[in-house]
Amino acid sequence: MKPERVLLLGWREDTNMEATIVLVLVFTFLVGGMTLALAMGYRSIEESRSEQRPERHVQPAPAAYVMAGHGFFERAADRTPAPPAIAFDDALLAQLERHVRAEQAAVSQFVHFPSVDSLYSSSGTSLRVH
């Protein structure tokens, strides 16, 4: 008689591996089914919660109020919108517009006639504000 050999995982060499495959498949389907049941249960609970919860209609705060930085503990009577804190300087706006147009012209020149010189050339304007 030949002695029985035991493999590393404790299986005998002559054991039927088909039973092991069936067992693994059964456990895989069990775990998969339980995960699916949990996911579907969570989804149905969230749907029922959203149906029971009344919808809130939140009014967005005016931009001037947000920009003014009002505190949380202010009274409602003190919540008058402040005038805009940013005043635009027309000269600065015109200078910015000239600079952007000069940069666009430089980019257009590089796109149509690419060279190293046109890539690193200055547009001729600077945005220095003193």
Side-chain angles (χ1 to χ4, degrees), residues 41-114:
Y42 176 75
R43 183 176 174 198
S44 66
I45 288 172
E46 286 300 316
E47 285 176 357
S48 66
R49 281 185 185 170
S50 66
E51 290 171 359
Q52 292 173 357
R53 185 179 312 141
E55 291 185 28
R56 290 194 240 164
H57 298 286
V58 178
Q59 294 285 340
Y65 178 75
V66 173
M67 292 297 289
H70 291 286
F72 179 76
F73 293 106
E74 284 189 9
R75 293 179 303 190
D78 296 340
R79 293 184 182 174
T80 56
I86 302 170
F88 288 107
D89 186 12
D90 290 333
L92 180 63
L93 196 59
Q95 182 183 4
L96 182 64
E97 186 176 356
R98 279 193 308 270
H99 177 74
V100 168
R101 289 183 193 270
E103 289 291 326
Q104 285 176 343
V107 168
S108 175
Q109 180 183 3
F110 175 74
V111 167
H112 293 297
F113 306 105

Side-chain angles (χ1 to χ4, degrees), residues 29-43:
F29 284 121
L30 270 172
V31 170
M34 288 177 8
T35 305
L36 181 65
L38 283 172
M40 296 300 287
Y42 176 75
R43 183 176 174 198

